[in-house]
């Protein structure tokens, strides 16, 4: 019903509107207009908005390359375990010619002749074999002041899985003369026969050592070393020695448990003297090791046997603590030991020893206590240093003294007393690389002796300095230098008939013996090498540039200024 009323109302409104519109039209005046049609309507654009270029409706496509895909039809092989990779072995080939070998020849004043040949093979990656030959002879300005040395040897090294083997066998000879310039109080020479002296050494050394395994947290390491030599001089004095040494070490967490063991069997003989001098040592230890510290505690058992027998037990403890890691470590320790006195070492230090006998014999020295400590470290790869102080109590220290009745030869004398003698010392060492061009290094020693019997530590300096420098001027030119300075020492004279004019002399009480001062000296040497080619170089060497005829031992002046020059070849 409601919709019917609404429709009736809408229709009524429309009728009223139409009627009203008709009434308004009727109100305008009625006129008649005429319209002339000339042409059809065409819309025309102005010139300003026209596009003068007609579009190119030709169908052009860019070039599309054709791709070919070669998809392998393979099944992915997935295993539950890890598959070991197979390595394709490549044939060994050298990328460049190696120059491990060289030859060196030279000559100079004082009748100097020098020759060296060094050969080495690196054909195998894990094995090295080689050999060398050396010769040097010189003659000073004094009568029979001659020196010569020769060496020949072969060596080898190989890596066999968990171990490494290396060894060397060789022969060396050193010859000189008893040229001592010594006179009696009337000025007559006491050296009637400047006889020849020569030392021959046939030696062998070999070592077996376990290789380090970085992955092993409980590593077991070991080594075994053998040394043997047959040593003799021109007067039928001989020394034969055979030694075995080894160590065992087992890592257990932060601990290392191990032992050092050695046995030295030595025999010395002369025309009227024989000695069997054997030493056995056992040094068990336990080491506590952390990131910044290392502490070792143990003992040193030493037994001497042969012509005499003696057993000693010494403490053995060391500590190393990183005060500033990689820059400064403090270290210290206490230990003791028996030091073997051998004819070989004595004559290398002083080649003018007299024949062995009752007044010139061999005795081992004993370090009753050796306490040391210091600081060491580095600053990168350009600066390294070490400073160490020590205190030693020693029995039977060996010294040299002029032989009574034969003052151009020397005897070995020992510091004896009711108590051990002491040495307080300081050592310093430094290495500096100033730049890629300059490298410097040096070492200094200071010693103060408190002896029980002897007046002085004969021929042993209280101060000794050595320094070296190297300058890489270019890729072809190298210059190096060395300096050795030794403080004054003292020599013991037991013969009142020896003329000591030119020396500072002090009488030793009422014993009739005298103390002669051996002046301090400095020995400066330098050398240069120029690489003319990759394989050929020329060199020159100047020794004792200050030209000082200094003495290391009484009555035996050293060579003055000597110059050596020559050529070396690499091949």
């Amino acid at each position: 019903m409601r919709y019917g009323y609404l429709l009736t109302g809408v229709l009524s409104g429309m009728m009223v509107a139409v009627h009203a519109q008709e009434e308004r039209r009727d109100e305008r005046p009625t006129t008649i207009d005429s319209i002339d049609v000339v042409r059809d309507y065409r819309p025309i654009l102005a010139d300003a908005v026209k596009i003068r270029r007609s579009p190119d409706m030709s169908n052009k496509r860019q070039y599309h390359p054709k791709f070919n895909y070669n998809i392998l039809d393979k099944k992915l092989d997935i295993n539950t375990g890890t598959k070991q990779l197979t390595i394709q072995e490549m044939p060994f080939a050298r990328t460049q010619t190696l120059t491990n070998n060289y030859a060196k020849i030279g000559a100079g004043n004082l009748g100097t002749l020098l020759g060296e040949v060094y050969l080495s093979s690196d054909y195998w990656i894990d094995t090295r074999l080689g050999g060398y030959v050396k010769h040097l002879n010189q003659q000073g300005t004094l009568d029979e002041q001659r020196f010569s040395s020769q060496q020949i040897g072969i060596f080898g090294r190989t890596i066999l899985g968990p171990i490494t083997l290396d060894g060397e066998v060789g022969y060396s000879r050193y010859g000189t003369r008893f040229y001592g310039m010594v006179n009696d109080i009337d000025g007559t020479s006491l050296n009637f026969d400047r006889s020849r002296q020569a030392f021959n050494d046939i030696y062998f050394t070999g070592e077996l050592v376990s290789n380090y395994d970085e992955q092993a947290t409980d590593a077991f390491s070991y080594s075994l070393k053998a040394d043997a030599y047959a040593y003799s001089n021109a007067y039928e004095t001989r020394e034969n020695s055979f030694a075995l040494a080894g160590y065992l070490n087992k890592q257990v967490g932060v601990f290392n448990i191990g032992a050092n063991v050695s046995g030295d069997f030595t025999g010395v003989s002369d025309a009227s003297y024989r000695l069997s001098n054997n030493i056995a040592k056992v040094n068990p230890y336990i080491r506590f090791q952390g990131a910044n510290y290392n502490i070792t505690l143990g003992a040193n058992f030493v037994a001497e046997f042969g012509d005499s027998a003696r057993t000693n037990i010494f403490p053995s403890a060391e500590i190393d603590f990183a005060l500033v890691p990689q820059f400064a470590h403090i270290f210290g320790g206490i230990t003791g030991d028996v030091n073997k006195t051998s004819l070989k070492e004595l004559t290398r230090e002083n080649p003018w020893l007299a024949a062995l006998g009752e007044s010139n014999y061999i005795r081992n020295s004993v370090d009753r206590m050796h306490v040391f400590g210091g600081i060491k470290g580095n600053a990168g790869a350009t600066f390294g240093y070490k400073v160490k102080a020590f205190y030693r109590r020693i029995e039977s220290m060996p010294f040299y003294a002029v032989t009574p009745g034969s003052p151009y030869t020397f005897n070995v004398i020992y510091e004896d007393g009711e108590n051990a003698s002491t040495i307080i010392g300081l050592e310093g060492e430094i290495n500096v690389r100033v730049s890629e061009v300059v490298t410097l290094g040096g070492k200094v020693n200071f010693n103060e002796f408190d002896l029980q019997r002897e007046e002085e530590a004969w021929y042993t300096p209280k101060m000794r300095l050595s320094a070296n420098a190297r300058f890489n001027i270019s890729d072809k030119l190298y210059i190096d230098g060395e300096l050795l300075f030794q403080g004054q020492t003292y020599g013991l004279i037991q013969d009142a008939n020896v003329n000591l004019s030119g020396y500072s002399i002090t009488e030793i009480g009422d014993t009739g013996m005298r103390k002669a001062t051996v002046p301090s000296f400095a020995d400066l040497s330098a050398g240069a090498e120029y690489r003319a080619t990759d394989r050929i170089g020329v060199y020159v060497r100047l020794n004792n540039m200050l030209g000082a005829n200094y003495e290391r031992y009484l009555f035996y002046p050293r060579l003055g200024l000597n110059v050596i020059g020559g050529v070396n070849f690499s091949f």
Side-chain angles (χ1 to χ4, degrees):
M1 180 68 69
R2 241 176 355 205
Y3 294 106
Y5 291 144
L6 179 60
L7 180 60
T8 301
V10 172
L11 292 176
S12 298
M14 292 176 62
M15 292 177 63
V16 172
V18 172
H19 179 72
Q21 184 175 6
E22 290 178 355
E23 289 181 355
R24 286 194 296 271
R25 289 177 180 176
D26 292 341
E27 293 177 355
R28 292 182 301 176
T30 303
T31 59
I32 299 174
D33 296 328
S34 62
I35 299 174
D36 296 331
V37 178
V38 179
R39 60 179 177 80
D40 296 336
Y41 173 73
R42 293 180 181 178
I44 299 174
L45 295 174
D47 292 340
V49 298
K50 288 182 179 180
I51 298 176
R52 300 287 183 180
R53 185 179 60 192
S54 300
D56 186 1
M57 302 303 294
S58 61
N59 186 11
K60 293 183 178 181
R61 293 185 179 182
Q62 297 294 331
Y63 171 75
H64 295 284
K66 184 177 180 180
F67 297 99
N68 294 322
Y69 298 94
N70 183 17
I71 301 177
L72 299 177
D73 186 12
K74 283 192 174 183
K75 181 179 65 175
L76 180 61
D77 184 14
I78 300 179
N79 298 322
T80 56
T82 302
K83 186 177 181 180
Q84 183 179 3
L85 298 177
T86 58
I87 301 175
Q88 179 66 39
E89 294 186 0
M90 300 294 293
F92 178 75
R94 293 188 182 276
T95 59
Q96 60 181 354
T97 302
L98 301 179
T99 57
N100 296 321
N101 313 312
Y102 77 86
K104 186 175 184 179
I105 58 174
N109 67 330
L110 303 181
T112 303
L113 290 176
L114 171 69
E116 293 184 16
V117 177
Y118 180 92
L119 305 173
S120 178
S121 172
D122 285 336
Y123 186 81
W124 301 278
I125 297 177
D126 55 0
T127 302
R128 167 174 286 189
L129 297 173
Y132 57 88
V133 178
K134 300 180 181 180
H135 169 80
L136 173 66
N137 69 266
Q138 294 180 300
Q139 180 174 347
T141 57
L142 302 177
D143 188 22
E144 302 295 346
Q145 188 184 24
R146 298 179 182 180
F147 307 91
S148 68
S149 65
Q150 296 80 31
Q151 287 181 278
I152 182 171
I154 57 175
F155 58 85
R157 179 184 178 90
T158 184
I159 301 175
L160 301 173
I163 64 172
T164 297
L165 295 173
D166 62 37
E168 181 178 347
V169 59
Y171 166 78
S172 66
R173 179 186 182 277
Y174 178 78
T176 185
R177 294 269 181 168
F178 287 94
Y179 67 90
M181 307 300 294
V182 54
N183 300 322
D184 63 13
I185 56 178
D186 296 327
T188 303
S189 175
L190 294 175
N191 190 354
F192 306 106
D193 181 18
R194 293 182 172 87
S195 55
R196 180 179 61 88
Q197 177 64 289
F199 302 98
N200 299 281
D201 183 19
I202 301 173
Y203 60 89
F204 162 80
T205 179
E207 185 175 15
L208 180 154
V209 61
S210 61
N211 295 327
Y212 177 69
D213 186 359
E214 295 182 351
Q215 305 299 325
T217 58
D218 56 347
F220 175 71
S221 58
Y222 54 91
S223 79
L224 179 64
K225 184 176 182 180
D227 289 281
Y229 64 82
Y231 190 74
S232 63
N233 66 8
Y235 296 93
E236 299 182 355
T237 303
R238 290 177 170 80
E239 183 175 68
N240 300 317
S241 177
F242 175 74
L244 281 174
Y247 77 84
L248 301 171
N249 185 88
K250 174 66 175 178
Q251 183 177 347
V252 183
V254 297
F255 299 95
N256 282 272
I257 302 173
N260 299 296
V261 182
S262 66
D264 190 314
F265 308 91
T266 303
V268 184
S269 64
D270 205 336
S272 60
Y273 178 79
R274 290 183 180 275
L275 174 70
S276 178
N277 184 19
N278 308 318
I279 304 175
K281 300 180 182 181
V282 179
N283 169 222
Y285 64 84
I286 180 170
R287 180 179 298 126
F288 308 87
Q289 187 170 352
N292 296 321
Y293 68 90
N294 193 326
I295 301 173
T296 304
L297 301 175
N300 195 12
F301 301 88
V302 183
E304 298 172 81
F305 56 97
D307 287 356
S308 62
R310 179 173 52 177
T311 302
N312 291 281
I313 302 176
F314 306 101
S316 178
E318 292 186 32
I319 183 172
D320 188 314
F321 177 72
L323 192 64
V324 181
Q326 299 182 352
F327 292 96
H329 286 242
I330 57 174
F331 65 92
I334 180 173
T335 186
D337 204 353
V338 174
N339 307 307
K340 173 186 170 182
T341 300
S342 70
L343 178 68
K344 182 177 179 178
E345 296 302 323
L346 291 174
T347 53
R348 282 184 172 179
E349 188 176 31
N350 185 345
W352 300 288
L353 285 183
L356 296 177
E358 292 183 1
S359 62
N360 191 26
Y361 55 95
I362 300 296
R363 181 197 299 181
N364 299 324
S365 64
V366 181
D367 264 301
R368 289 296 175 191
M369 179 182 294
H370 183 188
V371 182
F372 61 91
I375 184 170
K376 62 182 178 180
N378 58 70
T382 61
F383 180 79
Y385 67 93
K386 181 179 180 181
V387 179
K388 173 184 173 182
F390 64 86
Y391 170 85
R392 296 176 65 185
R393 294 180 60 244
I394 306 179
E395 294 179 358
S396 302
M397 277 189 292
F399 299 118
Y400 304 104
V402 171
T403 304
S406 181
Y408 55 88
T409 64
F410 293 84
N411 281 339
V412 181
I413 61 175
Y414 298 91
E415 163 64 6
D416 292 325
E418 296 181 358
N419 299 312
S421 302
T422 61
I423 304 176
I424 299 176
L426 180 67
E427 299 177 359
E429 186 174 355
I430 187 172
N431 291 282
V432 182
R433 191 181 69 184
V434 180
S435 65
E436 296 294 334
V437 177
V438 182
T439 303
L440 305 174
K443 186 175 182 179
V444 63
N445 300 78
F446 297 96
N447 296 309
E448 189 64 39
F449 300 91
D450 183 10
L451 306 179
Q452 299 297 309
R453 175 184 173 184
E454 299 298 328
E455 183 75 11
E456 298 287 349
W458 309 115
Y459 300 106
T460 305
K462 293 184 178 181
M463 187 267 187
R464 186 179 177 91
L465 169 69
S466 60
N468 60 80
R470 181 177 175 85
F471 305 89
N472 299 332
I473 304 302
S474 67
D475 292 339
K476 293 182 175 293
L477 180 60
Y478 310 92
I479 297 176
D480 66 273
E482 295 180 0
L483 171 65
L484 172 63
F485 176 81
Q486 179 173 296
Q488 68 180 19
T489 59
Y490 303 94
L492 177 64
I493 307 298
Q494 306 175 69
D495 193 338
N497 193 40
V498 175
N499 186 352
L500 295 176
S501 60
Y503 297 95
S504 176
I505 305 301
T506 303
E507 297 290 339
I508 303 177
D510 56 357
T511 61
M513 294 185 292
R514 292 171 291 174
K515 177 176 67 174
T517 300
V518 181
S520 60
F521 64 84
D523 191 330
L524 178 64
S525 62
E529 180 179 354
Y530 178 74
R531 302 295 299 177
T533 68
D534 292 339
R535 296 180 179 270
I536 301 176
V538 294
Y539 69 91
V540 62
R541 185 85 189 168
L542 289 81
N543 298 314
N544 195 2
M545 296 173 61
L546 303 179
N549 292 322
Y550 64 88
E551 295 180 355
R552 177 68 177 87
Y553 299 99
L554 283 175
F555 316 127
Y556 281 89
R558 302 299 294 268
L559 294 175
L561 172 66
N562 57 93
V563 182
I564 305 174
V567 183
N568 53 47
F569 309 89
S570 299
F571 59 94

